[in-house]
Amino acid sequence: MNTVAEESSWWDTIKKQSFLIDPYPQLKAWRELGPVHHDRASDVYFVLGHNEFAKLARSPKMGRDTRLWRGGWATPEAKTRDPVCYQLFSEMQPQMINVNGADHQRMRGVFEQAFRPAAVAAMAPMIEAEAVKLLDAMGNGGDLEFIADYAAPLPLRVVCNLFEIPAEMDQQVLAWSDSMIRVLDIMTTPEQRKEALEALHEFKIYVRELIAEHRRNPGNCLLDTLVAAFEAGTLNEEEAVMNLVSMLIAGHETTVTLIGNGMLCLLRNPEQLAALRADRSLVKTAVEECMRYEPGGNMILRVAIEDFPVGDLVIPAGSLVLGFIGAVNRDPAVFADPERFDISRAKNPHLTFGAGAYTCIGAGLARLEGEVAFNALLDRFSEIELAGEARWRLDRMNARSLECLPVRLRRNM
Ligand code: HEM
């Protein structure tokens, strides 16, 4: 445990620009103080050690239902203090990632079949076709903005295809997602919360219409799986709507960061990019290393259902626990030479997709999207280099994503 003087500053430090631009030196220094830290100012438990977070994230004594958090958004006190946040939280509650135990298994079970390895592998031609469309639009290359032109539109279209949402809706889904992603971020302003609530209401109306349409005219996509679960009574109406909304958000925002942050890692390490170009069998370990080195999420949440001993302290039931993934993924107790970006790293048990019962259901799909995105880009362009300064988004803490990544591309002739 750290001294009181050190403890008081953590919550403020993680909102600072210097931390948002490059959190790793600070995370390293904090991890060296100990694997778990209780921040007295915020009463949050931060976890920085890999073994400690893996154990905790996998334990049934830890859940994701924030209604059990004593300082949470669902308390009567929170309702008076911040009614917009309370309403947002309440409306977003009925989805798999926000519930524990049997309810979680019931909701997750609806989607599991669709994300099994064979089902994901069958999505490869669709993902490749979407990547090719975006690359075709780049012509012979030149100076481009990698996030807007490639990293962002590809995962959005892929997840929309899973639910047969037409391409004309991409910009609208993107706008709703952008507002919603900020909802529970510690840097979100009250105005942004109001905007998020409006976006959520519009998004829900659209999703309700989609569900109604597929009830009238059944098809054969993931939306029909959801509709079948609703009609069988496995999901109630609010659960059907919210799980679909959150799947559309979770299914693209995070994968944008895999492709965008990963590309930046490769561009900053040109010898690694050259190695990948020369030997494409490295693409799987390259994607894993991008995920480890620059995870798109800064923190993964748990709420203690029971008292939980970890490190040299006991986390009391009702506490909020946040795993710092940037620290966990560079823990020298688990990773050799952790500060080095190495696309051929053989042992890479990063926790970017979380762990245990809540492990990302879309992990296989995200990995495949990363592989396709990098392979298709390298097939098309013989030279790829940074063409200016990459800018991190500085208005959010939970996600670690790029606002802009200027690249210069030259085509294979
Ligand atoms: C690189 C891309 C991605 C990253 C980094 C990521 C990360 C995560 C994380 C950290 C969690 C919570 C894990 C935990 O608490 O232990 C999660 C859960 C989830 N993710 Fe992903 N995700 C990605 C892509 C996707 C995709 C493509 C989809 C769907 C199309 C998806 C859907 C979900 C869902 C539905 C959950 C909730 C699972 C549950 O509650 O059981 N994610 N993801």
Side-chain angles (χ1 to χ4, degrees):
M1 290 286 285
N2 309 322
T3 65
V4 172
E6 284 159 344
E7 281 178 355
S8 60
S9 60
W10 281 43
W11 200 246
D12 293 334
T13 303
I14 63 177
K15 291 186 255 177
K16 286 192 177 146
Q17 281 212 1
S18 54
F19 186 88
L20 295 167
I21 292 169
D22 181 8
Y24 300 107
Q26 179 67 73
L27 289 174
K28 182 169 184 279
W30 279 344
R31 192 187 50 236
E32 282 166 2
L33 295 171
V36 187
H37 169 86
H38 180 223
D39 185 65
R40 291 192 192 163
S42 56
D43 192 19
V44 173
Y45 288 79
F46 290 106
V47 187
L48 303 110
H50 184 285
N51 291 329
E52 290 75 11
F53 186 65
K55 179 178 158 203
L56 184 149
R58 292 188 175 114
S59 170
K61 293 182 183 172
M62 288 281 165
R64 291 201 52 123
D65 189 335
T66 53
R67 289 172 297 186
L68 301 182
W69 168 30
R70 58 177 170 273
W73 306 289
T75 58
E77 191 265 321
K79 190 174 182 177
T80 332
R81 186 185 62 224
D82 190 342
V84 173
C85 187
Y86 179 86
Q87 193 183 343
L88 258 172
F89 159 81
S90 307
E91 290 198 30
M92 287 179 10
Q93 178 60 34
Q95 52 172 307
M96 70 175 100
I97 201 163
N98 288 339
V99 291
N100 291 345
D103 278 340
H104 172 252
Q105 282 170 16
R106 171 175 58 81
M107 294 191 208
R108 186 171 167 118
V110 170
F111 298 92
E112 248 158 3
Q113 189 74 26
F115 289 102
R116 292 238 159 95
V120 169
M123 297 175 198
M126 178 271 283
I127 304 170
E128 280 158 8
E130 295 300 345
V132 163
K133 275 188 217 161
L134 293 167
L135 293 168
D136 285 350
M138 296 177 191
N140 288 332
D143 285 5
L144 294 156
E145 205 290 278
F146 188 79
I147 304 300
D149 291 340
Y150 195 60
L154 180 61
L156 176 62
R157 186 80 306 266
V158 167
V159 75
C160 286
N161 281 343
L162 299 188
F163 296 97
E164 289 179 358
I165 295 175
E168 310 81 88
M169 283 303 294
D170 281 5
Q171 289 314 309
Q172 183 58 76
V173 172
L174 184 64
W176 286 328
S177 297
D178 273 353
S179 299
M180 295 287 304
I181 198 96
R182 312 289 318 277
V183 167
L184 301 176
D185 198 293
I186 59 173
M187 292 178 72
T188 307
T189 63
E191 291 70 35
Q192 285 167 330
R193 290 218 167 106
K194 273 196 199 122
E195 195 188 304
L197 191 57
E198 282 164 24
L200 175 62
H201 289 160
E202 288 177 20
F203 210 162
K204 281 167 70 172
I205 290 171
Y206 175 67
V207 159
R208 266 184 227 286
E209 280 168 12
L210 275 182
I211 292 174
E213 171 57 26
H214 279 249
R215 291 188 77 188
R216 285 192 297 271
N217 299 305
N220 191 23
C221 72
L222 194 45
L223 192 48
D224 300 289
T225 307
L226 180 94
V227 165
F230 170 49
E231 290 183 338
T234 311
L235 297 177
N236 68 32
E237 195 186 344
E238 279 308 300
E239 290 167 349
V241 169
M242 254 338 286
N243 275 296
L244 179 46
V245 165
S246 83
M247 188 73 78
L248 288 169
I249 300 172
H252 91 270
E253 285 284 349
T254 45
T255 315
V256 178
T257 63
L258 160 58
I259 301 170
N261 299 5
M263 194 68 230
L264 179 62
C265 293
L266 291 165
L267 291 168
R268 282 184 172 165
N269 295 274
E271 78 297 344
Q272 300 280 315
L273 180 56
L276 177 60
R277 185 182 283 287
D279 178 3
R280 298 301 183 78
S281 71
L282 289 171
V283 74
K284 282 189 192 298
T285 49
V287 164
E288 294 308 309
E289 184 66 344
C290 292
M291 308 259 318
R292 179 191 78 86
Y293 200 79
E294 269 299 356
N298 280 322
M299 305 189 287
I300 297 181
L301 167 155
R302 288 290 181 275
V303 176
I305 299 168
E306 292 176 32
D307 289 359
F308 191 87
V310 61
D312 60 359
L313 70 158
V314 175
I315 300 178
S319 303
L320 181 68
V321 183
L322 295 173
F324 269 130
I325 299 311
V328 162
N329 282 356
R330 296 187 186 201
D331 187 341
V334 172
F335 298 95
D337 200 1
E339 303 299 326
R340 184 172 135 73
F341 177 72
D342 175 6
I343 63 162
S344 57
R345 186 178 289 277
K347 183 172 169 267
N348 194 348
H350 67 76
L351 294 176
T352 301
F353 287 120
Y358 298 91
T359 302
C360 177
I361 200 169
L365 171 58
R367 287 180 160 118
L368 179 62
E369 289 185 64
E371 289 167 24
V372 168
F374 292 140
N375 264 335
L377 188 75
L378 291 175
D379 285 346
R380 182 66 64 98
F381 294 104
S382 55
E383 286 174 47
I384 307 169
E385 58 190 25
L386 265 176
E389 198 196 337
R391 277 202 316 271
W392 293 101
R393 288 190 197 278
L394 302 179
D395 60 347
R396 59 200 67 188
M397 196 312 132
N398 292 358
R400 174 160 173 76
S401 56
L402 287 164
E403 188 173 73
C404 153
L405 177 57
V407 292
R408 186 161 303 134
L409 305 172
R410 270 183 219 93
R411 187 155 184 184
N412 291 331
M413 289 298 177

